[in-house]
Amino acid sequence: MPFGLLKYGLSRRYPAERDFPWPQELKRSYDVVIIGGGGHGVAAAYYLARDYGITNVAVIEKRAISPAATPRATRRSSARTT
């Protein structure tokens, strides 16, 4: 657990500082646009940069991109199939 989360969780001083930067304005053009910032969308952006050197990528998500989104989606999809 990050120390900052624990520190602000136990104190009465809110709101906590943001760990992530504020959203930036969109550029006029991108090489790749990925719709959906879940596990697959973020992984696709990562592999495009790592394997192909494509770093001019936009990941569009209507909510904050969260690492907790993938396990929740996996539970929901597996619950429907059983």
Side-chain angles (χ1 to χ4, degrees):
M1 174 186 301
F3 177 71
L5 180 62
L6 180 63
K7 181 173 95 174
Y8 287 108
L10 296 176
S11 75
R12 298 195 187 276
R13 196 179 73 167
Y14 289 100
E17 294 177 17
R18 290 179 59 95
D19 288 335
F20 299 101
W22 287 98
Q24 299 175 355
E25 293 295 322
L26 295 176
K27 293 189 236 177
R28 189 158 181 84
S29 67
Y30 290 94
D31 294 334
V32 176
V33 176
I34 299 172
I35 308 297
H40 288 92
V42 173
Y46 169 77
Y47 287 115
L48 283 170
R50 187 187 79 174
D51 296 342
Y52 300 101
I54 301 172
T55 57
N56 190 17
V57 178
V59 179
I60 308 295
E61 174 63 39
K62 65 181 173 181
R63 295 184 202 95
I65 296 175
S66 168
T70 301
R72 283 196 306 262
T74 304
R75 277 195 306 264
R76 274 188 256 141
S77 64
S78 64
R80 286 188 210 134
T81 59
T82 56

Coordinates of all heavy atoms in Angstrom, one line a residue:
M1 N 0.9 -1.2 0.0 CA 0.0 0.0 0.0 C 0.9 1.2 0.0 O 1.8 1.3 0.8 CB -0.9 0.0 1.2 CG -1.7 1.3 1.4 SD -2.7 1.4 2.9 CE -3.7 0.0 2.8
P2 N 0.6 2.2 -0.9 CA 1.4 3.4 -0.9 C 1.3 4.2 0.4 O 0.2 4.2 1.0 CB 0.8 4.2 -2.0 CG 0.1 3.3 -2.8 CD -0.4 2.2 -1.9
F3 N 2.4 4.7 0.9 CA 2.4 5.4 2.2 C 1.5 6.6 2.2 O 0.8 6.9 3.2 CB 3.9 5.9 2.5 CG 3.9 6.7 3.8 CD1 3.8 6.1 5.0 CD2 4.1 8.0 3.7 CE1 3.8 6.8 6.2 CE2 4.2 8.8 4.9 CZ 4.0 8.2 6.1
G4 N 1.4 7.3 1.0 CA 0.5 8.5 0.9 C -0.9 8.1 1.2 O -1.7 8.8 1.9
L5 N -1.4 7.0 0.7 CA -2.7 6.5 0.9 C -3.0 6.2 2.3 O -4.0 6.6 2.9 CB -3.0 5.3 0.0 CG -4.4 4.7 0.1 CD1 -5.4 5.7 -0.4 CD2 -4.5 3.4 -0.7
L6 N -2.1 5.6 3.0 CA -2.2 5.3 4.4 C -2.2 6.6 5.2 O -3.1 6.7 6.1 CB -1.1 4.3 4.9 CG -1.1 3.9 6.3 CD1 -2.4 3.1 6.6 CD2 0.1 3.1 6.6
K7 N -1.3 7.5 4.9 CA -1.2 8.7 5.7 C -2.5 9.5 5.6 O -3.0 10.0 6.6 CB 0.0 9.5 5.1 CG 0.2 10.8 5.8 CD 1.5 11.5 5.3 CE 1.1 12.5 4.2 NZ 2.2 13.3 3.8
Y8 N -3.1 9.7 4.4 CA -4.3 10.5 4.3 C -5.5 9.7 4.7 O -6.5 10.3 5.1 CB -4.5 11.0 2.8 CG -3.5 12.1 2.5 CD1 -2.4 11.9 1.7 CD2 -3.6 13.3 3.1 CE1 -1.5 12.9 1.4 CE2 -2.8 14.3 2.8 CZ -1.7 14.1 2.0 OH -0.8 15.1 1.7
G9 N -5.5 8.4 4.7 CA -6.6 7.6 5.1 C -6.8 7.7 6.6 O -7.9 7.6 7.1
L10 N -5.7 7.8 7.3 CA -5.7 7.8 8.8 C -5.8 9.3 9.3 O -6.1 9.4 10.5 CB -4.5 7.1 9.4 CG -4.4 5.6 9.1 CD1 -3.1 5.1 9.7 CD2 -5.6 4.9 9.6
S11 N -5.6 10.3 8.5 CA -5.7 11.6 9.0 C -7.1 12.2 8.7 O -7.9 11.6 8.0 CB -4.6 12.5 8.3 OG -5.0 12.8 7.0
R12 N -7.3 13.3 9.2 CA -8.6 14.0 9.0 C -8.5 15.1 8.0 O -9.4 15.9 7.8 CB -9.2 14.5 10.3 CG -9.5 13.4 11.3 CD -10.3 13.9 12.4 NE -10.5 12.9 13.4 CZ -11.3 12.0 13.4 NH1 -12.1 11.8 12.4 NH2 -11.4 11.1 14.4
R13 N -7.3 15.2 7.3 CA -7.0 16.3 6.4 C -7.4 15.8 5.0 O -6.7 14.9 4.5 CB -5.6 16.7 6.4 CG -5.4 18.1 5.8 CD -3.9 18.4 5.9 NE -3.2 17.6 5.0 CZ -1.9 17.8 4.7 NH1 -1.3 18.7 5.2 NH2 -1.3 16.9 3.8
Y14 N -8.4 16.3 4.4 CA -8.8 15.9 3.0 C -9.0 17.2 2.2 O -9.2 18.2 2.7 CB -10.1 15.2 3.1 CG -10.0 13.8 3.7 CD1 -10.4 13.6 5.0 CD2 -9.5 12.8 2.9 CE1 -10.2 12.3 5.6 CE2 -9.4 11.5 3.5 CZ -9.8 11.3 4.8 OH -9.6 10.1 5.3
P15 N -8.9 17.1 0.9 CA -8.7 15.9 0.1 C -7.2 15.7 0.0 O -6.3 16.5 0.2 CB -9.2 16.3 -1.3 CG -9.0 17.8 -1.3 CD -9.2 18.3 0.1
A16 N -6.8 14.4 -0.3 CA -5.5 14.0 -0.5 C -4.9 14.6 -1.8 O -5.7 14.9 -2.7 CB -5.4 12.5 -0.5
E17 N -3.6 14.7 -1.9 CA -3.0 15.2 -3.1 C -3.2 14.1 -4.2 O -3.2 12.9 -3.9 CB -1.5 15.5 -3.0 CG -1.3 16.6 -2.0 CD 0.2 16.8 -1.8 OE1 1.0 16.3 -2.6 OE2 0.6 17.5 -0.9
R18 N -3.3 14.5 -5.4 CA -3.5 13.6 -6.5 C -2.2 12.8 -6.8 O -1.1 13.4 -6.8 CB -3.9 14.3 -7.8 CG -5.3 14.8 -7.8 CD -5.6 15.5 -9.1 NE -5.5 14.7 -10.2 CZ -6.5 14.0 -10.8 NH1 -7.7 14.1 -10.3 NH2 -6.3 13.3 -11.8
D19 N -2.3 11.5 -7.0 CA -1.1 10.7 -7.4 C -0.9 10.7 -8.9 O 0.2 10.5 -9.3 CB -1.3 9.3 -6.9 CG -1.2 9.1 -5.4 OD1 -0.5 10.0 -4.8 OD2 -1.8 8.1 -4.9
F20 N -2.0 11.0 -9.6 CA -1.9 11.1 -11.1 C -2.0 12.5 -11.6 O -2.7 13.3 -11.0 CB -3.0 10.2 -11.7 CG -3.0 8.8 -11.3 CD1 -3.8 8.3 -10.3 CD2 -2.1 7.9 -11.8 CE1 -3.8 7.0 -9.9 CE2 -2.0 6.6 -11.5 CZ -2.8 6.1 -10.5
P21 N -1.4 12.8 -12.7 CA -1.5 14.1 -13.2 C -2.9 14.4 -13.7 O -3.7 13.5 -14.0 CB -0.5 14.2 -14.4 CG -0.4 12.7 -14.8 CD -0.6 11.9 -13.6
W22 N -3.3 15.7 -13.8 CA -4.6 16.1 -14.3 C -4.6 15.7 -15.8 O -3.6 15.7 -16.4 CB -4.8 17.6 -14.1 CG -5.1 17.9 -12.7 CD1 -4.2 18.4 -11.8 CD2 -6.3 17.8 -12.0 NE1 -4.8 18.6 -10.5 CE2 -6.1 18.2 -10.6 CE3 -7.6 17.3 -12.3 CZ2 -7.1 18.2 -9.7 CZ3 -8.6 17.3 -11.3 CH2 -8.3 17.8 -10.0
P23 N -5.8 15.4 -16.3 CA -5.9 15.1 -17.7 C -5.5 16.3 -18.6 O -5.7 17.5 -18.2 CB -7.4 14.9 -17.9 CG -8.0 14.6 -16.6 CD -7.1 15.3 -15.6
Q24 N -4.8 16.0 -19.6 CA -4.2 17.0 -20.5 C -5.2 17.3 -21.6 O -6.1 16.4 -21.9 CB -2.9 16.6 -21.1 CG -1.9 16.3 -20.1 CD -0.6 15.8 -20.7 OE1 -0.5 15.5 -21.9 NE2 0.4 15.6 -19.9
E25 N -5.1 18.4 -22.3 CA -5.9 18.7 -23.4 C -5.5 17.7 -24.6 O -4.3 17.4 -24.7 CB -5.7 20.1 -23.9 CG -6.2 21.1 -22.9 CD -7.7 21.1 -22.7 OE1 -8.4 20.9 -23.8 OE2 -8.2 21.2 -21.6
L26 N -6.4 17.3 -25.4 CA -6.1 16.5 -26.5 C -5.3 17.2 -27.6 O -5.6 18.4 -27.8 CB -7.4 15.9 -27.1 CG -8.2 15.0 -26.2 CD1 -9.5 14.6 -26.8 CD2 -7.4 13.8 -25.8
K27 N -4.4 16.5 -28.2 CA -3.7 17.0 -29.3 C -4.6 17.0 -30.6 O -5.6 16.4 -30.6 CB -2.4 16.2 -29.6 CG -1.4 16.3 -28.5 CD -0.1 15.6 -29.0 CE 0.3 14.5 -28.1 NZ 1.5 13.8 -28.5
R28 N -4.1 17.6 -31.6 CA -4.9 17.7 -32.9 C -4.9 16.3 -33.5 O -5.8 15.9 -34.2 CB -4.3 18.7 -33.8 CG -5.1 19.0 -35.0 CD -4.8 20.4 -35.5 NE -5.6 20.7 -36.6 CZ -6.8 21.2 -36.6 NH1 -7.4 21.4 -35.4 NH2 -7.5 21.5 -37.7
S29 N -3.8 15.5 -33.4 CA -3.8 14.2 -34.0 C -2.9 13.2 -33.2 O -2.0 13.7 -32.5 CB -3.2 14.3 -35.5 OG -1.8 14.7 -35.4
Y30 N -3.2 11.9 -33.4 CA -2.4 10.9 -32.7 C -2.2 9.8 -33.8 O -2.9 9.7 -34.8 CB -3.3 10.2 -31.6 CG -3.4 11.2 -30.4 CD1 -4.6 12.0 -30.3 CD2 -2.5 11.2 -29.4 CE1 -4.7 12.8 -29.2 CE2 -2.6 12.0 -28.3 CZ -3.7 12.8 -28.2 OH -3.9 13.7 -27.2
D31 N -1.1 9.0 -33.5 CA -0.9 7.8 -34.4 C -1.9 6.7 -34.2 O -2.3 6.1 -35.1 CB 0.5 7.3 -34.2 CG 1.6 8.3 -34.6 OD1 1.3 9.2 -35.5 OD2 2.7 8.2 -34.1
V32 N -2.2 6.5 -32.9 CA -3.2 5.5 -32.5 C -4.1 6.1 -31.4 O -3.7 6.8 -30.5 CB -2.4 4.3 -31.9 CG1 -3.4 3.2 -31.4 CG2 -1.5 3.7 -32.9
V33 N -5.4 5.7 -31.5 CA -6.4 6.1 -30.5 C -7.0 4.8 -30.0 O -7.5 4.0 -30.8 CB -7.5 7.1 -31.0 CG1 -8.5 7.3 -30.0 CG2 -6.8 8.4 -31.5
I34 N -6.9 4.6 -28.7 CA -7.5 3.4 -28.0 C -8.7 3.8 -27.2 O -8.6 4.7 -26.3 CB -6.4 2.7 -27.2 CG1 -5.2 2.3 -28.0 CG2 -7.1 1.5 -26.4 CD1 -4.1 1.7 -27.2
I35 N -9.8 3.3 -27.5 CA -11.1 3.6 -26.8 C -11.2 2.5 -25.7 O -11.4 1.4 -26.0 CB -12.3 3.5 -27.7 CG1 -12.1 4.4 -29.0 CG2 -13.6 4.0 -27.0 CD1 -11.9 5.9 -28.7
G36 N -11.2 3.0 -24.4 CA -11.3 2.1 -23.3 C -10.0 2.0 -22.6 O -9.0 1.5 -23.1
G37 N -10.0 2.5 -21.4 CA -8.7 2.5 -20.6 C -8.7 1.3 -19.6 O -8.0 1.5 -18.5
G38 N -9.3 0.2 -19.8 CA -9.3 -0.9 -18.9 C -7.9 -1.6 -19.1 O -7.0 -1.1 -19.7
G39 N -7.8 -2.8 -18.6 CA -6.6 -3.6 -18.6 C -6.1 -3.8 -20.0 O -4.9 -3.6 -20.3
H40 N -7.0 -4.1 -21.0 CA -6.6 -4.4 -22.3 C -6.2 -3.1 -23.1 O -5.2 -3.1 -23.8 CB -7.7 -5.1 -23.1 CG -7.9 -6.5 -22.7 ND1 -8.8 -6.8 -21.7 CD2 -7.4 -7.6 -23.1 CE1 -8.8 -8.1 -21.5 NE2 -7.9 -8.7 -22.3
G41 N -6.9 -2.0 -22.8 CA -6.6 -0.8 -23.5 C -5.2 -0.2 -23.1 O -4.4 0.2 -23.9
V42 N -4.9 -0.3 -21.8 CA -3.7 0.2 -21.3 C -2.5 -0.7 -21.7 O -1.4 -0.3 -22.1 CB -3.7 0.4 -19.7 CG1 -2.4 0.7 -19.2 CG2 -4.7 1.5 -19.4
A43 N -2.8 -2.0 -21.7 CA -1.8 -3.0 -22.1 C -1.5 -2.8 -23.6 O -0.3 -2.9 -24.0 CB -2.3 -4.4 -21.9
A44 N -2.5 -2.5 -24.4 CA -2.3 -2.3 -25.8 C -1.4 -1.1 -26.0 O -0.4 -1.1 -26.9 CB -3.6 -2.1 -26.6
A45 N -1.6 0.0 -25.3 CA -0.7 1.2 -25.4 C 0.7 0.9 -25.0 O 1.6 1.3 -25.6 CB -1.3 2.3 -24.6
Y46 N 0.8 0.1 -23.9 CA 2.2 -0.3 -23.4 C 2.9 -1.1 -24.5 O 4.1 -0.8 -24.8 CB 2.0 -1.1 -22.1 CG 3.3 -1.7 -21.7 CD1 4.3 -1.0 -21.1 CD2 3.5 -3.1 -21.9 CE1 5.5 -1.6 -20.7 CE2 4.7 -3.7 -21.5 CZ 5.7 -2.9 -20.9 OH 6.9 -3.5 -20.5
Y47 N 2.3 -2.1 -25.1 CA 3.0 -2.9 -26.0 C 3.2 -2.2 -27.3 O 4.2 -2.5 -28.0 CB 2.2 -4.2 -26.3 CG 2.3 -5.2 -25.1 CD1 1.2 -5.5 -24.3 CD2 3.5 -5.7 -24.7 CE1 1.3 -6.3 -23.2 CE2 3.7 -6.5 -23.6 CZ 2.5 -6.9 -22.9 OH 2.7 -7.7 -21.8
L48 N 2.4 -1.3 -27.7 CA 2.7 -0.5 -28.9 C 4.0 0.3 -28.7 O 4.8 0.4 -29.6 CB 1.5 0.5 -29.2 CG 0.3 -0.2 -29.9 CD1 -0.8 0.8 -29.9 CD2 0.7 -0.6 -31.3
A49 N 4.1 0.9 -27.5 CA 5.3 1.7 -27.2 C 6.5 0.8 -27.1 O 7.6 1.1 -27.6 CB 5.1 2.5 -25.9
R50 N 6.4 -0.3 -26.4 CA 7.5 -1.2 -26.1 C 8.0 -1.9 -27.4 O 9.2 -1.9 -27.7 CB 7.2 -2.2 -25.1 CG 8.4 -3.0 -24.6 CD 8.1 -4.1 -23.7 NE 7.5 -5.2 -24.5 CZ 7.2 -6.4 -24.1 NH1 7.3 -6.7 -22.8 NH2 6.7 -7.4 -24.8
D51 N 7.1 -2.5 -28.1 CA 7.5 -3.4 -29.2 C 7.6 -2.6 -30.6 O 8.4 -3.0 -31.4 CB 6.5 -4.5 -29.4 CG 6.4 -5.4 -28.2 OD1 7.4 -5.4 -27.4 OD2 5.4 -6.1 -28.0
Y52 N 6.9 -1.5 -30.7 CA 6.9 -0.9 -32.0 C 7.3 0.6 -32.0 O 7.4 1.3 -33.0 CB 5.5 -0.9 -32.7 CG 5.0 -2.3 -32.9 CD1 4.1 -2.9 -32.0 CD2 5.5 -3.1 -33.9 CE1 3.7 -4.2 -32.2 CE2 5.0 -4.4 -34.1 CZ 4.2 -4.9 -33.2 OH 3.7 -6.2 -33.4
G53 N 7.6 1.1 -30.8 CA 8.1 2.5 -30.7 C 7.0 3.5 -30.9 O 7.4 4.7 -31.1
I54 N 5.8 3.2 -30.9 CA 4.7 4.1 -31.2 C 4.3 4.7 -29.8 O 3.7 4.1 -29.0 CB 3.5 3.4 -31.8 CG1 3.8 2.8 -33.1 CG2 2.3 4.4 -32.0 CD1 2.8 1.9 -33.8
T55 N 4.7 6.0 -29.6 CA 4.4 6.6 -28.4 C 3.4 7.8 -28.5 O 3.0 8.3 -27.4 CB 5.7 7.2 -27.8 OG1 6.3 8.1 -28.7 CG2 6.7 6.1 -27.5
N56 N 3.0 8.1 -29.7 CA 1.9 9.1 -29.8 C 0.6 8.4 -29.8 O -0.1 8.3 -30.8 CB 2.2 9.9 -31.2 CG 1.3 11.1 -31.3 OD1 0.8 11.6 -30.3 ND2 1.2 11.6 -32.5
V57 N 0.2 8.0 -28.6 CA -1.1 7.2 -28.4 C -2.0 7.9 -27.4 O -1.5 8.4 -26.4 CB -0.7 5.8 -27.9 CG1 -1.9 5.0 -27.6 CG2 0.2 5.1 -28.8
A58 N -3.3 7.9 -27.7 CA -4.3 8.4 -26.8 C -5.1 7.3 -26.3 O -5.6 6.5 -27.1 CB -5.2 9.4 -27.5
V59 N -5.2 7.2 -25.0 CA -6.1 6.2 -24.4 C -7.3 7.0 -23.8 O -7.2 7.8 -22.9 CB -5.4 5.4 -23.3 CG1 -6.4 4.4 -22.6 CG2 -4.2 4.7 -23.8
I60 N -8.5 6.8 -24.4 CA -9.7 7.5 -24.0 C -10.6 6.7 -23.1 O -10.9 5.5 -23.4 CB -10.5 7.9 -25.3 CG1 -9.6 8.6 -26.3 CG2 -11.7 8.7 -24.9 CD1 -9.1 9.9 -25.9
E61 N -10.9 7.2 -21.9 CA -11.7 6.5 -21.0 C -12.7 7.5 -20.3 O -12.2 8.6 -20.0 CB -10.8 5.8 -19.9 CG -11.6 5.2 -18.8 CD -12.5 4.1 -19.2 OE1 -12.1 3.3 -20.1 OE2 -13.6 4.0 -18.6
K62 N -13.9 7.2 -20.1 CA -14.9 8.1 -19.6 C -14.7 8.3 -18.1 O -15.0 9.3 -17.5 CB -16.3 7.7 -19.9 CG -16.8 6.5 -19.3 CD -18.2 6.2 -19.7 CE -18.6 4.8 -19.2 NZ -20.0 4.5 -19.7
R63 N -14.1 7.3 -17.4 CA -13.8 7.5 -15.9 C -12.3 7.5 -15.8 O -11.5 7.4 -16.7 CB -14.4 6.3 -15.2 CG -15.9 6.2 -15.2 CD -16.4 5.1 -14.4 NE -17.7 4.7 -14.8 CZ -18.0 3.7 -15.6 NH1 -17.0 3.0 -16.2 NH2 -19.2 3.5 -16.0
A64 N -11.8 7.6 -14.5 CA -10.4 7.5 -14.2 C -9.9 6.1 -14.6 O -10.6 5.1 -14.3 CB -10.1 7.8 -12.8
I65 N -8.7 6.0 -15.1 CA -8.2 4.7 -15.4 C -7.7 4.1 -14.1 O -6.9 4.6 -13.4 CB -7.0 4.8 -16.4 CG1 -7.5 5.3 -17.8 CG2 -6.3 3.5 -16.6 CD1 -6.4 5.6 -18.8
S66 N -8.2 2.9 -13.8 CA -8.0 2.3 -12.5 C -7.5 0.9 -12.6 O -8.0 0.1 -13.4 CB -9.4 2.2 -11.7 OG -9.2 1.4 -10.6
P67 N -6.5 0.5 -11.9 CA -6.0 -0.9 -11.9 C -7.0 -1.9 -11.3 O -6.9 -3.0 -11.5 CB -4.7 -0.9 -11.1 CG -4.8 0.4 -10.2 CD -5.7 1.3 -11.0
A68 N -8.0 -1.4 -10.6 CA -9.0 -2.2 -9.9 C -10.1 -2.6 -10.9 O -10.9 -3.4 -10.6 CB -9.6 -1.5 -8.7
A69 N -10.1 -1.9 -12.1 CA -11.2 -2.2 -13.0 C -11.2 -3.6 -13.6 O -12.2 -4.2 -13.8 CB -11.2 -1.1 -14.1
T70 N -10.0 -4.1 -13.9 CA -9.8 -5.4 -14.6 C -10.3 -6.5 -13.7 O -11.1 -7.4 -14.2 CB -8.4 -5.6 -15.0 OG1 -8.1 -4.5 -15.9 CG2 -8.2 -6.9 -15.7
P71 N -10.0 -6.6 -12.4 CA -10.5 -7.7 -11.6 C -12.0 -7.7 -11.5 O -12.7 -8.7 -11.5 CB -9.8 -7.6 -10.3 CG -8.6 -6.8 -10.5 CD -8.9 -5.9 -11.7
R72 N -12.6 -6.5 -11.4 CA -14.1 -6.4 -11.3 C -14.7 -6.9 -12.6 O -15.7 -7.6 -12.6 CB -14.5 -4.9 -11.0 CG -14.3 -4.5 -9.6 CD -15.0 -3.2 -9.3 NE -14.7 -2.2 -10.2 CZ -13.9 -1.2 -10.0 NH1 -13.2 -1.2 -8.8 NH2 -13.6 -0.3 -10.9
A73 N -14.2 -6.5 -13.7 CA -14.7 -6.9 -15.0 C -14.6 -8.4 -15.2 O -15.5 -9.1 -15.7 CB -14.1 -6.2 -16.1
T74 N -13.5 -9.0 -14.7 CA -13.3 -10.4 -14.9 C -14.3 -11.2 -14.0 O -14.8 -12.2 -14.4 CB -11.8 -10.8 -14.4 OG1 -10.9 -10.0 -15.2 CG2 -11.6 -12.2 -14.6
R75 N -14.5 -10.7 -12.8 CA -15.5 -11.3 -11.9 C -16.9 -11.3 -12.6 O -17.6 -12.3 -12.6 CB -15.6 -10.7 -10.6 CG -14.5 -11.1 -9.6 CD -14.9 -10.7 -8.2 NE -15.1 -9.3 -8.1 CZ -14.2 -8.4 -7.7 NH1 -13.0 -8.8 -7.4 NH2 -14.5 -7.2 -7.6
R76 N -17.3 -10.1 -13.1 CA -18.6 -10.0 -13.8 C -18.7 -11.0 -15.0 O -19.7 -11.6 -15.1 CB -18.9 -8.6 -14.2 CG -19.4 -7.8 -13.1 CD -19.9 -6.4 -13.6 NE -18.8 -5.5 -13.1 CZ -18.4 -4.5 -13.7 NH1 -18.8 -4.2 -14.9 NH2 -17.4 -3.7 -13.2
S77 N -17.7 -11.0 -15.8 CA -17.8 -11.8 -17.0 C -17.8 -13.3 -16.7 O -18.5 -14.1 -17.3 CB -16.7 -11.5 -18.0 OG -15.5 -11.8 -17.4
S78 N -17.0 -13.7 -15.7 CA -17.0 -15.1 -15.3 C -18.3 -15.5 -14.6 O -18.7 -16.7 -14.7 CB -15.8 -15.4 -14.5 OG -15.9 -14.7 -13.2
A79 N -18.9 -14.6 -13.9 CA -20.2 -14.9 -13.2 C -21.3 -15.1 -14.3 O -22.2 -16.0 -14.0 CB -20.6 -13.8 -12.3
R80 N -21.2 -14.5 -15.4 CA -22.3 -14.6 -16.4 C -22.1 -16.0 -17.1 O -23.1 -16.5 -17.6 CB -22.2 -13.5 -17.4 CG -22.7 -12.2 -16.9 CD -22.7 -11.2 -18.0 NE -22.5 -9.9 -17.5 CZ -21.7 -9.0 -17.9 NH1 -21.0 -9.2 -19.0 NH2 -21.5 -7.8 -17.3
T81 N -20.9 -16.5 -17.2 CA -20.7 -17.7 -18.0 C -21.0 -19.0 -17.2 O -21.1 -20.0 -17.8 CB -19.3 -17.7 -18.6 OG1 -18.3 -17.7 -17.5 CG2 -19.0 -16.6 -19.5
T82 N -21.0 -18.9 -15.9 CA -21.2 -20.1 -15.1 C -22.7 -20.4 -14.9 O -23.6 -19.6 -15.1 CB -20.5 -20.0 -13.7 OG1 -21.0 -18.8 -13.1 CG2 -19.0 -19.9 -13.9

